[in-house]
């Protein structure tokens, strides 16, 4: 094999990709229909920050309430059109916050989140409304496992979304 035809420098383009693995797990979903005066803007930075911040607070609140390691659960959010709601709903759209067990096959933690939902949301509320920082820090939302999200986490937006989900207040 003649190596002289190969250069040491790569001249290709960069491609961002991710690898995933499908595994069955337990899941809990909090579905929040968004009504006026809230805006349904899934691509807006503030909207993404609110959804992800609330998901992280619920993961941390659930971990504390269930007395488990915070890597036993993961969370995220997704948006859905209002088509999934009854016709009588005047919601502009839906944001779903989901928590799932990281153990393949599920360990039952996300199911316990549902059983302890009021306590978990109380803990999440405490995390989001504590007096620690201007947006997010390691005392509230930041942890090693979510380091790729640190720049977008905002406890105030997460708290506002939680307040809306719990009481309908904006």
């Amino acid at each position: 094999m003649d190596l002289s035809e190969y250069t040491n420098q790569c001249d290709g383009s960069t491609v961002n990709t991710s690898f995933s693995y499908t595994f069955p797990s337990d899941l809990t979903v909090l579905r929040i229909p968004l009504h006026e005066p809230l805006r349904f803007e899934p691509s807006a930075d503030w909207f993404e920050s609110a959804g992800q911040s609330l998901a992280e607070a619920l993961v941390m609140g659930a971990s504390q309430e269930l007395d488990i390691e915070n890597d036993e659960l993961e969370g995220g959010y997704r948006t859905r059109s209002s088509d999934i709601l009854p016709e009588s709903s005047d919601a502009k759209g839906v944001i779903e916050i989901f928590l799932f067990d990281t153990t393949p096959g599920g360990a039952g933690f996300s199911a316990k989140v549902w059983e302890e939902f009021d306590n978990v949301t109380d803990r999440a509320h405490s995390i989001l409304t504590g007096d620690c920082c201007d947006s997010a820090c390691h005392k509230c939302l930041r942890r090693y496992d979510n380091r790729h999200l640190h720049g977008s986490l905002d406890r105030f937006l997460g708290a506002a979304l939680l307040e809306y989900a719990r009481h309908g207040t904006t």
Side-chain angles (χ1 to χ4, degrees), residues 34 39-52 77-82 92-96:
L34 301 176
R39 295 186 317 257
F40 184 67
E41 296 180 9
S43 61
D45 289 343
W46 65 266
F47 193 92
E48 294 177 12
S49 182
Q52 195 61 58
Y77 78 97
R78 71 177 182 170
T79 57
R80 311 268 313 262
S81 72
S82 58
K92 304 300 178 200
V94 176
I95 185 166
E96 292 180 336

Side-chain angles (χ1 to χ4, degrees), residues 28-127:
T28 290
V29 178
L30 168 60
R31 181 176 288 163
I32 308 168
L34 301 176
H35 302 273
E36 291 289 341
L38 293 182
R39 295 186 317 257
F40 184 67
E41 296 180 9
S43 61
D45 289 343
W46 65 266
F47 193 92
E48 294 177 12
S49 182
Q52 195 61 58
S53 297
L54 179 53
E56 292 300 319
L58 287 171
V59 166
M60 296 174 88
S63 298
Q64 292 173 12
E65 189 62 32
L66 302 177
D67 197 25
I68 59 173
E69 296 295 322
N70 65 12
D71 63 352
E72 298 283 351
L73 287 170
E74 276 298 326
Y77 78 97
R78 71 177 182 170
T79 57
R80 311 268 313 262
S81 72
S82 58
D83 297 348
I84 64 169
L85 299 173
E87 259 185 58
S88 61
S89 175
D90 64 347
K92 304 300 178 200
V94 176
I95 185 166
E96 292 180 336
I97 310 295
F98 56 88
L99 302 180
F100 61 93
D101 293 6
T102 57
T103 305
F109 297 130
S110 61
K112 283 200 170 283
V113 167
W114 181 248
E115 294 170 14
E116 298 292 327
F117 196 70
D118 289 340
N119 295 334
V120 168
T121 56
D122 286 346
R123 288 274 188 146
H125 182 263
S126 295
I127 290 166

Side-chain angles (χ1 to χ4, degrees), residues 16-34:
N16 290 324
T17 188
S18 65
F19 297 98
S20 62
Y21 174 75
T22 302
F23 64 89
S25 182
D26 292 330
L27 178 74
T28 290
V29 178
L30 168 60
R31 181 176 288 163
I32 308 168
L34 301 176

